[in-house]
Amino acid sequence: MRLLIVESPNKTKKIQQFLGDGWTVAASFGHIRDLPVDAVGVSAPDYRPSYIVPPKSKDHVQRLRQLAERATEVFLATDPDREGEAISWHIQQALKLKAPKRVTFTEITEKAVTAAVRSPRTIDDDLVRAQEARRVLDRLVGYEVSPILTRAVGTGASAGRVQSPAVRLVVDREEQIEKFRKTNHFGARVVFDGGAWNAEWDTKPFLKSGEEYLLDKGRATLAAGCRDFKVISSDKKPVQRQPSPPFTTSTLLQAASARLGFKPEFTQGLAQKLFEGGHITYHRTDSQNLSDEAIAEIRALAADRNWPLPPSPRRWGSKEGAQEAHEAIRPTHWENEAAGDDADQQRLYALIWQRAAACQLAPAEYFATTNVLEAQNGPDTYLFTARGRVLKAPGFLVLTMKEGEEEEEDGDKGGEGSGGAVPILQPGSRKTADSGEVLAKETKPPSRYTQATLIKELEKEGIGRPSTYASILATIITKRQYVAEQKKYLVPTPLGRMVVSALKGKFSFVELDFTRDAEEQLDQIAQGKAQYQPVIAGMHARLHQEMGAMGYDPNAPFPPSEKQASFARTIAEILGLSLSEDALASAALLKAFIDDNIKKYNGVKDAAFTQRMSAEPASEKQIAAITKAIADKQVEPPDGWPSITKLAASQLLDKIMGSRSGGTDRKGSSSGARKSSAAGKGRGGGRTGGRATSSSSSGEARYASDKQMDLLRTLVSDKKVPAPAGWPDKVLMSDASAAIDKVFKSRKGSSK
């Protein structure tokens, strides 16, 4: 048996069909190792990361290890980018594989998959080191600067190597808008032939020295009063408009935002599903070109449908800094003009199909007409210009004009031009205007970014890479809330302004030039032109120098978060223990203290919780639920009914729910088994912010809270959700949250 490991379980079934008997296709479910969340996980001088297998990945690793032991050959087919290369390397390390075979394919088709397994290679160490360098550099910036940033802004804040420069772009743009002072200025327009076409006055000859705009309304009134014109020149020439290149990651995110109203993170998820479904090629790319085979397929399709073709295939130059590991985004099967599992996937696929097919068609051809006219009004001569454009041959627009619009991100929608249907005139002839008007104009401030235009700016400035654009925006808008979205425009929040103010001028990683240079150095590692350790050491030394300039000792122990320190103090108080100042200054020492004492602390909290539950009367909701169960003859009235305690009611309800779900009743109540979730708030330190998870930093299970269980009992009783794993005594907090979220999301609908 040969084993092929991919990242996503959504790919396994289709690939298994392609490979057939003799193969087993399994999924790693993305990353199976990572840096620890409660420590930096990397240190000088070698900067060798200390990876761990997170609890959620242990079962996957064990299953893959068993499959690998039975396999004659192991193929690693993770995604064809740096991160995918790194995931393959982590799989090799975690499974202790001696000679795995690395394969990549940029489309999930039988032809591509079978060709890939016939031509395996070894893991590319340069790509692995480049991804590792990015991860380590991000970790050093985030973990070492964030405590300083939190103290500077007076609240929990996080620094990011690429997120912080992205926030700075939004803040800088907002400051430009606030400093902007508009200028009122004037122009003039005259109309001919009953409004069929118009010409605008050229104000430049009347501008004073140093002026950019005409401020004299009286002069504009004289220009608008011109009626008798002499034709100075009239020119008509053919012009062409070339189609846009096929989508890169960046341009796909931009176009989906502008034309479909999709958020970048949502678009990225749709594209992932289309790729996994075998409908499009790999969607994380910065190449603008298609393969020779794809171009030949488009030209054959165009010939079959009588679409206009240029004499030779069209190619685009490489953008500066582009990695271009594989081709632009395109359909895998050109005969399928529609694909996708739902309406949103189908709309995105149609956008990709149309753009990729149109890129190889003939240009659109226009007749462009320009007339220059002259008039006298008093002693002065006024020049007016009329420009118009009329479509002659649609070319690639046979596809894009189906929607009544062209590519919005291009900023050019074609059409007849601003001057209307401008005719050809005889130079030297006379022409009388029907009317004229003064144009009151004002200068406009810079536009705020949208998510689409911010991605375009990130790409222009070399911040991030194709696979990171969507996550950068999700982090600064949703997760950190440094930026808010108001009527599709991005504005910095007060916290975002404070973060940028605290970092700007103090840390180089928020400077755009430094960020661009860092990306280039990471690219050089990928290309084998630079070494991992010197690059990281140099950037880390600069970071320490900047920390030192602010009065912080970069060699001091890594400080704990406020929540980690608060939780450690709570444990010490409950158990009657003492905490030294050294421990309170070190995240590592506090983590060790918490790990050593968490079981005893939970035991004390459990006992106190059970005692309280035994002393308090059952709630009205508990009584109501049990009353209904008694009426339905599911249980007999308990002793003392209805005067029972919360603990007795909870145990009885667990028994009722367990019988409904087909489970067996366990000793002890779910309430008694679950108090550790409340006790564990803040556990683990680092930058988790005390977020509730299904396991603690010591690996101990975290169970659903009592509020979650009360709600779950109702949902299970009403058959809104099936009883989750571990019901009713050992429901993990993550499983409870997932079940509850599913119900409430279905009520809200599938809003984007």
Side-chain angles (χ1 to χ4, degrees):
M1 182 267 292
R2 290 189 286 183
L3 173 65
L4 182 114
I5 300 175
V6 296
E7 288 182 41
S8 171
N10 296 331
K11 303 176 185 178
T12 55
K13 185 175 180 180
K14 184 178 286 289
I15 295 175
Q16 183 73 65
Q17 292 173 347
F18 294 154
L19 297 178
D21 296 337
W23 286 86
T24 295
V25 182
S28 71
F29 291 82
H31 284 277
I32 63 172
R33 298 200 312 174
D34 201 358
L35 295 171
V37 297
D38 48 17
V40 180
V42 61
S43 59
D46 60 352
Y47 297 96
R48 185 181 299 276
S50 299
Y51 293 110
I52 63 167
V53 176
K56 69 175 183 178
S57 298
K58 288 183 178 179
D59 289 343
H60 302 321
V61 171
Q62 180 61 28
R63 186 172 65 88
L64 291 174
R65 185 175 289 136
Q66 292 171 351
L67 289 172
E69 288 172 354
R70 298 198 300 267
T72 55
E73 293 179 291
V74 178
F75 294 75
L76 304 178
T78 51
D79 287 347
D81 55 15
R82 295 179 192 178
E83 191 160 3
E85 202 73 20
I87 291 174
S88 279
W89 178 78
H90 281 294
I91 293 172
Q92 177 191 25
Q93 298 297 308
L95 304 188
K96 298 180 172 56
L97 303 176
K98 291 184 178 179
K101 297 181 177 181
R102 174 74 169 121
V103 298
T104 59
F105 36 82
T106 59
E107 58 184 71
I108 302 179
T109 60
E110 184 172 4
K111 181 180 179 181
V113 172
T114 54
V117 296
R118 286 197 299 266
S119 303
R121 58 173 172 82
T122 57
I123 292 174
D124 189 325
D125 289 334
D126 290 334
L127 292 180
V128 173
R129 295 289 84 77
Q131 192 278 339
E132 190 169 65
R134 179 184 298 279
R135 184 76 179 92
V136 166
L137 188 56
D138 290 346
R139 174 58 65 102
L140 291 173
V141 170
Y143 271 55
E144 295 193 352
V145 179
S146 293
I148 299 173
L149 183 60
T150 294
R151 292 181 178 91
V153 302
T155 186
S158 176
R161 184 183 65 85
V162 290
Q163 290 89 353
S164 296
V167 178
R168 177 180 178 168
L169 286 173
V170 178
V171 171
D172 287 351
R173 178 60 57 88
E174 194 67 19
E175 290 176 349
Q176 292 171 9
I177 294 171
E178 291 169 350
K179 292 175 182 177
F180 175 81
R181 297 294 177 266
K182 73 176 181 180
T183 299
N184 293 314
H185 59 105
F186 303 94
R189 179 191 295 130
V190 291
V191 178
F192 297 90
D193 296 339
W197 59 285
N198 63 76
E200 284 207 25
W201 172 42
D202 180 5
T203 61
K204 290 180 182 178
F206 295 91
L207 295 180
K208 297 177 182 179
S209 177
E211 284 185 346
E212 292 184 60
Y213 308 102
L214 184 88
L215 309 180
D216 186 349
K217 185 176 181 181
R219 177 64 68 178
T221 301
L222 291 173
C226 294
R227 294 293 180 270
D228 185 24
F229 288 87
K230 178 182 178 182
V231 179
I232 302 301
S233 64
S234 185
D235 179 52
K236 180 179 181 180
K237 63 180 180 181
V239 294
Q240 292 184 339
R241 182 180 177 219
Q242 303 293 338
S244 299
F247 285 126
T248 63
T249 301
S250 170
T251 55
L252 177 63
L253 298 180
Q254 293 172 53
S257 176
R259 301 180 66 175
L260 304 179
F262 292 166
K263 303 299 185 191
E265 191 173 29
F266 184 71
T267 300
Q268 194 83 290
L270 294 178
Q272 178 73 33
K273 290 184 173 104
L274 288 172
F275 169 66
E276 291 172 353
H279 303 306
I280 64 170
T281 55
Y282 194 54
H283 54 289
R284 294 188 177 100
T285 177
D286 51 13
S287 173
Q288 299 184 102
N289 287 298
L290 299 177
S291 66
D292 292 341
E293 182 180 7
I295 292 174
E297 290 172 348
I298 296 174
R299 291 180 71 86
L301 181 72
D304 184 59
R305 301 191 182 188
N306 294 317
W307 291 340
L309 281 168
S312 59
R314 186 178 285 105
R315 300 186 187 281
W316 285 265
S318 299
K319 293 183 179 180
E320 185 178 354
Q323 299 168 27
E324 298 194 338
H326 35 269
E327 63 182 319
I329 304 169
R330 63 166 174 83
T332 55
H333 300 284
W334 292 101
E335 65 275 15
N336 297 334
E337 290 191 45
D341 296 333
D342 57 39
D344 289 331
Q345 288 184 40
Q346 291 162 11
R347 293 175 70 196
L348 187 67
Y349 177 84
L351 201 65
I352 293 169
W353 191 97
Q354 183 186 88
R355 176 83 163 234
C359 82
Q360 292 300 318
L361 300 188
E365 297 182 7
Y366 297 86
F367 282 129
T369 304
T370 303
N371 291 337
V372 178
L373 305 101
E374 175 186 279
Q376 291 290 131
N377 195 341
D380 298 313
T381 301
Y382 297 83
L383 290 175
F384 284 72
T385 302
R387 292 186 176 87
R389 191 175 70 171
V390 178
L391 184 64
K392 175 188 175 185
F396 72 94
L397 296 180
V398 296
L399 291 182
T400 62
M401 286 180 70
K402 288 180 181 178
E403 296 183 359
E405 61 180 353
E406 299 176 26
E407 311 298 347
E408 290 189 18
E409 67 273 16
D410 291 344
D412 177 10
K413 295 188 178 183
E416 294 185 338
S418 61
V422 179
I424 287 291
L425 301 175
Q426 182 65 35
S429 64
R430 311 297 298 190
K431 191 71 179 174
T432 301
D434 299 331
S435 62
E437 62 176 328
V438 173
L439 302 177
K441 304 179 180 181
E442 62 181 35
T443 55
K444 302 291 184 183
S447 296
R448 289 187 174 96
Y449 291 111
T450 63
Q451 291 203 35
T453 58
L454 182 56
I455 287 175
K456 188 173 184 178
E457 189 69 12
L458 291 173
E459 184 178 38
K460 173 187 171 185
E461 294 292 346
I463 300 172
R465 282 297 182 257
S467 61
T468 64
Y469 296 137
S471 63
I472 290 172
L473 267 65
T475 297
I476 66 175
I477 297 171
T478 306
K479 184 177 181 182
R480 298 297 179 191
Q481 297 183 348
Y482 297 150
V483 173
E485 196 169 20
Q486 298 178 359
K487 296 180 180 178
K488 89 173 184 177
Y489 291 104
L490 303 181
V491 295
T493 62
L495 180 58
R497 286 177 179 266
M498 292 167 63
V499 164
V500 171
S501 176
L503 296 174
K504 192 162 63 172
K506 303 177 182 68
F507 289 99
S508 54
F509 69 85
V510 296
E511 303 298 329
L512 303 184
D513 288 344
F514 178 85
T515 304
R516 189 183 307 112
D517 179 65
E519 294 289 356
E520 289 173 357
Q521 291 190 60
L522 295 174
D523 289 346
Q524 289 178 354
I525 295 174
Q527 297 162 11
K529 298 178 181 178
Q531 297 299 310
Y532 167 87
Q533 195 277 340
V535 170
I536 298 300
M539 293 186 185
H540 195 218
R542 183 167 181 173
L543 184 66
H544 275 190
Q545 182 181 9
E546 291 164 349
M547 292 170 64
M550 294 183 66
Y552 292 92
D553 180 4
N555 297 312
F558 177 66
S561 68
E562 293 179 7
K563 289 188 176 182
Q564 186 190 24
S566 175
F567 183 53
R569 291 191 185 98
T570 300
I571 291 177
E573 181 181 353
I574 294 294
L575 300 183
L577 304 175
S578 61
L579 272 173
S580 67
E581 291 300 320
D582 287 345
L584 287 169
S586 167
L589 292 178
L590 276 193
K591 179 183 181 299
F593 173 84
I594 292 170
D595 289 347
D596 289 343
N597 294 287
I598 190 65
K599 288 185 178 180
K600 187 175 180 181
Y601 169 79
N602 283 338
V604 172
K605 295 288 288 184
D606 288 354
F609 184 84
T610 301
Q611 184 177 4
R612 178 169 62 83
M613 291 282 285
S614 300
E616 295 181 7
S619 69
E620 292 181 4
K621 287 185 177 181
Q622 287 177 317
I623 293 296
I626 294 172
T627 299
K628 185 177 183 299
I630 292 172
D632 294 342
K633 297 183 179 182
Q634 291 179 289
V635 292
E636 295 293 326
D639 293 341
W641 177 257
S643 299
I644 61 174
T645 66
K646 276 188 176 180
L647 180 61
S650 181
Q651 291 172 337
L652 186 56
L653 286 168
D654 284 347
K655 181 179 180 181
I656 294 168
M657 294 301 106
S659 64
R660 289 181 183 175
S661 63
T664 57
D665 186 28
R666 296 178 176 88
K667 291 183 179 180
S669 72
S670 60
S671 302
R674 240 175 275 108
K675 345 22 120 203
S676 60
S677 66
K681 287 181 180 179
R683 184 188 310 164
R687 291 222 185 341
T688 61
R691 183 177 60 214
T693 61
S694 60
S695 63
S696 70
S697 60
S698 60
E700 182 183 349
R702 300 276 299 281
Y703 297 107
S705 68
D706 295 298
K707 287 185 178 180
Q708 286 177 312
M709 287 304 298
D710 286 342
L711 181 55
L712 266 181
R713 288 189 195 98
T714 302
L715 296 175
V716 172
S717 176
D718 294 342
K719 297 183 180 180
K720 298 290 180 60
V721 294
W727 185 268
D729 295 341
K730 300 284 186 179
V731 178
L732 291 176
M733 184 177 289
S734 59
D735 292 339
S737 297
I740 294 169
D741 287 348
K742 184 177 181 181
V743 173
F744 283 93
K745 284 179 179 177
S746 67
R747 290 179 182 176
K748 292 177 181 178
S750 57
S751 59
K752 295 181 281 294

